[in-house]
Amino acid sequence: MARSTQQDAGPETAAGREVGDVGRTILDAYNARDFDRLDAVIAPDGEFRNVPTGEVFRGAEGMKQYQRNWATAFPKSRVELRNLVACGETVTMEYIGRGTQTGPLNTPQGTIQPTGRDVELPLCDVLTVRGGKVTDGRTYYDVATLMRQLGM
């Protein structure tokens, strides 16, 4: 991964590092297409919300479904961590997803068939981590930017 920064505004730097490592594991799992790695960092009852679409994914299986959808649509895509801030139980990650849509992208509005277009999408995730596992998470990105790049 490219340059990243980690800041910990809390008094427990080691705890901040642990929380940040959970976030990095999620992004690394995507890049490696090693979705089973998510079992170790997502709480069984954890919820992950795709804010732009309103979808909610539950537990490690839900997070795997979320990541697989992107990996199917953009098989050679990668995410690049730009900034990570860990404080207490919260980690915020700013990253960029890059890839070419050569597979179907499933959305709540229907499936977007492959466009062959390149996408560079800024994203931001905010995760709550307790006991080394994500209990709550939200991902933010601009759907209009994604749709414009896909030619929609």
Side-chain angles (χ1 to χ4, degrees), residues 90-135:
T90 303
V91 60
T92 302
M93 301 182 300
E94 179 184 17
Y95 57 103
I96 296 176
R98 292 185 182 92
T100 303
Q101 192 209 7
T102 58
L105 177 62
N106 294 315
T107 75
Q109 293 73 33
T111 301
I112 300 171
Q113 294 304 319
T115 63
R117 291 178 166 241
D118 294 333
V119 168
E120 183 171 304
L121 184 66
L123 300 103
C124 182
D125 289 0
V126 180
L127 310 172
T128 302
V129 179
R130 293 188 180 109
K133 295 191 181 237
V134 174
T135 59

Side-chain angles (χ1 to χ4, degrees), residues 12-152:
E12 299 174 347
T13 303
R17 268 195 292 276
E18 178 183 325
V19 170
D21 288 346
V22 169
R24 282 188 181 89
T25 296
I26 292 170
L27 299 183
D28 290 346
Y30 181 83
N31 283 337
R33 302 304 192 264
D34 183 4
F35 305 116
D36 288 336
R37 198 182 299 180
L38 298 170
D39 291 332
V41 295
I42 307 294
D45 59 348
E47 289 191 350
F48 185 76
R49 291 169 189 80
N50 184 336
V51 175
T53 68
E55 295 168 288
V56 177
F57 299 90
R58 290 183 174 79
E61 289 307 314
M63 179 61 89
K64 290 175 190 180
Q65 176 188 352
Y66 173 77
Q67 284 198 355
R68 282 185 180 123
N69 185 45
W70 287 107
T72 297
F74 301 91
K76 294 182 181 177
S77 62
R78 307 259 315 148
V79 292
E80 176 187 339
L81 183 63
R82 304 297 290 183
N83 194 26
L84 183 150
V85 179
C87 182
E89 296 180 328
T90 303
V91 60
T92 302
M93 301 182 300
E94 179 184 17
Y95 57 103
I96 296 176
R98 292 185 182 92
T100 303
Q101 192 209 7
T102 58
L105 177 62
N106 294 315
T107 75
Q109 293 73 33
T111 301
I112 300 171
Q113 294 304 319
T115 63
R117 291 178 166 241
D118 294 333
V119 168
E120 183 171 304
L121 184 66
L123 300 103
C124 182
D125 289 0
V126 180
L127 310 172
T128 302
V129 179
R130 293 188 180 109
K133 295 191 181 237
V134 174
T135 59
D136 182 71
R138 293 165 310 284
T139 189
Y140 301 90
Y141 58 91
D142 182 18
V143 173
T145 297
L146 175 62
M147 293 297 113
R148 179 179 39 76
Q149 291 182 36
L150 292 177
M152 304 283 132

